[in-house]
Amino acid sequence: MLAKADTPLMPVAGGTDLLVSWHHQVKDDWKLLDLSNLHTELQPLRLTDDSLEIGALTTYWDVMSSPSVAAAFPLLAQAARQVGAIQIQTRGTWAGNIANGSPAADGVPVMMAYSATVVLESVDGVTEVPLDRYYTGYKQSVRRPDQLIRAIRLPRRTRRAEWFHKVGARSAQAISKLGVAVVHDDDGWRVVANSVAPTVLRCRALESALDGGATFGTPNEIRRLLDLDIAPIDDMRSTAQYRANVLSRLLYHWLTDSAGG
Ligand SMILES: Cc1cc2nc3c(=O)[nH]c(=O)nc-3n(C[C@H](O)[C@H](O)[C@H](O)COP(=O)(O)OP(=O)(O)OC[C@H]3O[C@@H](n4cnc5c(N)ncnc54)[C@H](O)[C@@H]3O)c2cc1C
């Protein structure tokens, strides 16, 4: 159906993002594709010795309520517990979080820090795109309208450190003012931030410094590296200044005080 459509169809998974925009948009040209009949194909969580596959209809709740998945990928469960509240956690999907493309998405940073790939399927076949190369701009991605996100794949690796922190106005039902996920494994450091650029993004200058063994004496040293990648804005949730300062201080204290030190 995606391949044959004249105008792009919008797949509906949990509907928790789509229905928010319902009130704000002219919907005359909306054509929705309900995925709910594909539950058997798209929902399974498959954890093997090598990887975790998150089917496109897997919800936050599915991950939180799987002790083996939460133990193997703790940041997924941690981020899931901070998405919306129970109603959203039981409907919202990880794939919908990626496809919606919000720079404030909470699931995307942890998946990106875990080196996730996005499995895209169309009638032409299956391709896999690293999540850190999926976005091309604000709400823009490499996904073609005829492709469906079929699953997300996370490699299983021994990790030396991992951390997720979300800053919101309160503990539940809060969109991120900023958020950060960090993973350190044999491939090096991945530092992923949300709400500080048009897309969720890796802070590559800081990652390179950490890979080179850098240590930091002040938060401002981290801030200078972050500034090479991030471009926060002022909006109704926060200011650019607050976002950059808090992100650098959170990272500084985690790196110097705890597992990252
Ligand atoms: C009250 C409330 C609180 C929220 N709180 C948070 C929060 O704290 N953190 C957060 O990150 N988000 C939050 N959200 C946003 C939302 O819940 C999440 O982004 C969620 O993961 C979206 O998943 P969904 O399955 O509901 O997506 P949908 O609304 O069904 O779809 C979202 C987008 O993805 C596309 N899509 C869905 N599935 C596929 C697929 N398989 N292939 C291709 N495209 C697809 C749709 O066409 C649409 O463009 C909140 C939303 C609400 C209403």
Side-chain angles (χ1 to χ4, degrees), residues 28-183:
D28 299 347
D29 56 352
W30 276 34
K31 290 196 177 150
L32 303 175
L33 178 68
D34 177 14
L35 299 180
S36 57
N37 277 345
L38 295 174
H39 252 265
T40 315
E41 294 83 356
L42 298 184
Q43 195 182 22
L45 264 176
R46 282 194 201 90
L47 183 65
T48 67
D49 289 345
D50 300 326
S51 68
L52 169 69
E53 188 173 301
I54 302 175
L57 288 180
T58 305
T59 63
Y60 299 103
W61 196 260
D62 293 329
V63 165
M64 288 158 64
S65 52
S66 165
S68 55
V69 171
F73 292 92
L75 304 187
L76 293 183
Q78 236 176 291
R81 281 196 291 273
Q82 292 176 66
V83 170
I86 289 174
Q87 295 90 334
I88 300 298
Q89 291 161 5
T90 51
R91 284 202 67 88
T93 62
W94 297 88
N97 201 236
I98 291 177
N100 187 54
S102 164
D106 291 315
V108 176
V110 289
M111 290 187 279
M112 203 181 280
Y114 280 139
S115 301
T117 52
V118 184
V119 182
L120 295 170
E121 183 160 358
S122 74
V123 290
D124 296 332
V126 177
T127 58
E128 234 170 285
V129 183
L131 181 52
D132 61 12
R133 279 189 244 142
Y134 181 81
Y135 297 111
T136 53
Y138 176 70
K139 296 221 165 210
Q140 302 297 313
S141 77
V142 298
R143 183 179 79 84
R144 303 190 311 260
D146 66 317
Q147 289 175 316
L148 192 69
I149 298 180
R150 186 188 172 94
I152 304 134
R153 207 185 317 275
L154 281 60
R156 260 184 115 163
R157 295 180 184 148
T158 306
R159 293 181 287 270
R160 295 174 206 161
E162 56 197 303
W163 177 61
F164 171 70
H165 192 94
K166 169 174 174 171
V167 179
R170 55 194 174 202
S171 307
Q173 295 289 32
I175 308 285
S176 277
K177 290 175 189 283
L178 68 115
V180 58
V182 183
V183 169

